[in-house]
Amino acid sequence: MIKAVIFDLDGTLIDTEKYYRINWPKAFEHFGYRMSDEQALLLRSLGRPFVQKFLKEISGDENFDYEKVKSYRSKLMEKSLKENGLQLKKGAEEILKFLNEKKIVTAVATASPKDRAERYLSQTGILKFFDKIISASMVEKGKPSPDIYEFAVKELKLEAEECLAVEDSPNGIKSAFAAGCKVAMIPDQDTADEETKKMLFAYKTSLDELKELF
């Protein structure tokens, strides 16, 4: 029985992942480095300390300044969102209303800082639906480590098998699966490979289709 649904944020609830995919390579290029589209995709939901290590490796620079590059990428992201607006993913509000009506607990588990997550959720009008907002900054290691989902489950005072994690990326899926949660994938920038499929409890094309699981 599913008692709680824990949602990833970027690329799952809000349509921001495509801008990260564009702006990470732009930020790299600004500082004289190169990042391929494939490498940009690997960054999805990647949490501390994995993202810093990965970026340093692909930069090839022993003195790589992660904070400086990240800060510039953040400016590019804000510009993208200002120009294009912040949009919900298809079915987001519908599934959240459905879960609230069913008295099913809802939470967010995101690689984003908590203040930014709450700002995005507020701007899109869905913050009111959530019982807990969990950020990777609250744990030692972000996704794909299981830390964030283990922490979320503890905060919700439930067992992992009672929780459904909703993710769009392999890093998030690995994190939730390793924590013992049921995992549903809603693909965003790509589809599931064979390794990822083995971890899934459900595979849906949009958030509103999750209603079929209840």
Side-chain angles (χ1 to χ4, degrees), residues 52-70:
Q52 298 180 41
K53 181 181 178 183
F54 177 69
L55 292 177
K56 184 175 181 179
E57 286 177 355
I58 66 174
S59 75
D61 183 359
E62 278 295 318
N63 300 310
F64 179 75
D65 191 333
Y66 167 73
E67 292 299 334
K68 185 165 66 175
V69 177
K70 181 187 175 185

Side-chain angles (χ1 to χ4, degrees), residues 148-161:
I148 190 168
Y149 276 102
E150 289 174 347
F151 182 75
V153 167
K154 186 181 294 185
E155 285 288 293
L156 297 175
K157 297 179 173 58
L158 294 170
E159 299 298 322
E161 58 267 25

Side-chain angles (χ1 to χ4, degrees), residues 95-112:
I95 188 61
L96 290 169
K97 285 180 178 178
F98 172 84
L99 294 172
N100 276 206
E101 288 168 2
K102 291 280 188 179
K103 307 298 183 187
I104 294 169
V105 174
T106 52
V108 168
T110 177
S112 294

Side-chain angles (χ1 to χ4, degrees), residues 7 28 42 72 107 206:
F7 293 87
F28 248 50
L42 293 174
Y72 186 75
S206 63

Side-chain angles (χ1 to χ4, degrees), residues 83-145:
E83 291 174 349
N84 299 285
L86 198 58
Q87 303 294 326
L88 289 173
K89 295 289 289 184
K90 181 180 182 294
E93 191 166 359
E94 183 178 343
I95 188 61
L96 290 169
K97 285 180 178 178
F98 172 84
L99 294 172
N100 276 206
E101 288 168 2
K102 291 280 188 179
K103 307 298 183 187
I104 294 169
V105 174
T106 52
V108 168
T110 177
S112 294
K114 187 180 180 183
D115 60 341
R116 187 170 72 203
E118 290 180 340
R119 175 160 53 92
Y120 285 178
L121 292 168
S122 179
Q123 287 176 1
T124 52
I126 60 172
L127 179 60
K128 61 188 176 185
F129 291 110
F130 293 100
D131 299 286
K132 292 283 184 179
I133 308 297
I134 309 297
S135 166
S137 61
M138 299 175 179
V139 297
E140 182 180 353
K141 296 179 181 178
K143 304 171 186 179
S145 165

